[in-house]
Amino acid sequence: MIDFLKRIKFLLFIAFIMYIALMFGDDFPLSIKQFFYTFSYIIRSVLLFILPFVVLPFLLSSIMLLKSRGIWLVIGILCLIFISNFIAILASYGITLPIIEKLHVSMVPSLTQNGPLQPLIEFELPSLITIEQTLLFGFLAGLILSYKSTPAIDKFIEAYRHLASGFLSKIFVPLLPIYIFGVLLQTSHETDFMEVFSTFGGMIILIFLTQVLYTFSLFFIGCQGNFPQIWTCIQRTLPASFLGFSSLSSVVTMPVTLEAAEKNLEDKVIARIAITSTVNTHVVGDCLGLPIIALTIYYLHFGALPDFSTYIIFAFFLSLAQFSAVSVPGGSIVVLTPFLISK
C-alpha cells in the first residue's frame, strides 16, 4: 500500500490542490488569489509561446522514422479522427434521448458571482507561430526528410528532441500544481459553483458519466480487456486529466498527455505522432459533452429532441468543424455556436 501511495503521490498532491482551491477558494484574500493566478497566467503565456517549438522535434523525428509511410499515416490519422469524433457525437444522442426529460434544467440569466480576476501584471508574448502551422510544417518537413536526410540533420533533430523532452519533464511538470491552483482560484472567484450545479446539475452529471464510461470503454478496447493493464494506463493519464480539467485546454495539457501516451504505448513513435497531430482535433470529450448541451438547449426551446436524420447531419458537420476548433480554453464551443443558433 505504501509503495502504491508513493507511485501516485504526485496525483494525490494535485488532487489536494484542486480540492483546496475549489472548496476554500472564496475564503482566500483577493491579493493571494491574484498572486497565484498571476503565476498561472505567466506560466500559460510562456508555454503557449514556446509550445510550437517544443512540439516540432517530436513530430519531425517520428515521421522521419516512418520513412515512406508518412503520407499514408497523415491521411489515415485524419480519417480516423473524423470517424472517432463522429461516433462520439452519435453516442451522445443515444445516451441523451431516453433521459432528457429527467434532467430538469432551466435557463438562468447569469451564473457569475464576481467580476473577472485580474493578474497583478499584464504579460502577453507575441504569437510567432500557431500550433496548427507548426503541425503542418512538421508534417511536410518530416515527409521531405523521411525521403532525403543526412546524419547531421538526424543528430540535430534528436538533440532538439532531447532538449524539448527535458523542458517538459524538468520544468513544466514540476510547475503543474502551482499552475492548476492559480487557475482554479480564478474559476472559484468568478463562478458560483453551487448555483451552476443546482441549475444544470443533471446535465453536468450526465456529461461527466458519459465521458467517464466512454473513455473507460476506449481503454478497455485498447488494453483488450486486461483490467490490471487498464488500471495502470488510467493511472498514467490521470495527471493529464487533472490538468485538462483545470486548464480547459488540450494544447496546454499536451506535454503531460504525451508523456502518458509514451508510457502506455510500446511504440513511442506512434505515441508522439498521435498526440502532437490530434491535440486540437481529436476531442472526444467535446464530442460527447457539447452535443448533450446542444440537445438540452434544443429540448428547452422545442420540447423534444431533433429526429435522428436531422441529428446525423449535425454530427457530420460538427465532426468536420472540430478540425477548425480554436485552441484556447472553451474554444470548441466556438465551432458549435452556429449550430446552436439555427434549428
Side-chain angles (χ1 to χ4, degrees), residues 273-314:
I273 291 179
I275 299 302
T276 56
S277 60
T278 63
V279 63
N280 277 340
T281 53
H282 188 215
V283 282
V284 174
D286 287 342
C287 289
L288 293 169
L290 293 181
I292 292 177
I293 296 174
L295 289 169
T296 303
I297 294 173
Y298 190 100
Y299 182 82
L300 286 173
H301 282 85
F302 303 108
L305 293 184
D307 58 71
F308 185 71
S309 61
T310 300
Y311 185 81
I312 202 168
I313 298 174
F314 162 82

Side-chain angles (χ1 to χ4, degrees), residues 171-309:
I171 298 178
F172 178 68
V173 172
L175 292 175
L176 275 182
I178 302 177
Y179 173 82
I180 292 174
F181 189 63
V183 171
L184 291 181
L185 283 180
Q186 177 209 14
T187 304
S188 67
H189 175 82
E190 297 177 356
T191 306
D192 187 341
F193 282 115
M194 296 307 296
E195 183 68 21
V196 170
F197 193 79
S198 63
T199 304
F200 297 106
M203 185 185 70
I204 293 172
I205 292 174
L206 176 62
I207 292 174
F208 173 76
L209 292 177
T210 300
Q211 292 176 338
V212 169
L213 293 175
Y214 195 90
T215 302
F216 179 81
S217 69
L218 296 179
F219 277 106
F220 183 86
I221 295 171
C223 297
Q224 299 179 339
N226 186 328
F227 282 97
Q229 186 179 359
I230 292 172
W231 173 237
T232 299
C233 290
I234 290 176
Q235 280 184 283
R236 291 168 178 165
T237 58
L238 284 178
S241 302
F242 289 139
L243 180 57
F245 174 79
S246 64
S247 67
L248 302 179
S249 173
S250 56
V251 174
V252 172
T253 311
M254 188 187 66
V256 187
T257 308
L258 177 60
E259 181 182 4
E262 288 186 345
K263 291 179 180 178
N264 285 340
L265 293 176
E266 296 180 358
D267 193 331
K268 291 187 176 182
V269 174
I270 296 298
R272 294 171 195 162
I273 291 179
I275 299 302
T276 56
S277 60
T278 63
V279 63
N280 277 340
T281 53
H282 188 215
V283 282
V284 174
D286 287 342
C287 289
L288 293 169
L290 293 181
I292 292 177
I293 296 174
L295 289 169
T296 303
I297 294 173
Y298 190 100
Y299 182 82
L300 286 173
H301 282 85
F302 303 108
L305 293 184
D307 58 71
F308 185 71
S309 61

Side-chain angles (χ1 to χ4, degrees), residues 17-30 32-34 36-37 111-118 179-196 245-246 248:
I17 288 293
M18 295 177 68
Y19 173 78
I20 294 297
L22 293 175
M23 293 294 103
F24 306 105
D26 289 339
D27 299 327
F28 281 77
L30 179 61
I32 297 296
K33 290 190 280 189
Q34 285 184 303
F36 281 103
Y37 174 59
L111 293 173
T112 59
Q113 61 178 3
N114 296 305
L117 183 64
Q118 299 295 335
Y179 173 82
I180 292 174
F181 189 63
V183 171
L184 291 181
L185 283 180
Q186 177 209 14
T187 304
S188 67
H189 175 82
E190 297 177 356
T191 306
D192 187 341
F193 282 115
M194 296 307 296
E195 183 68 21
V196 170
F245 174 79
S246 64
L248 302 179

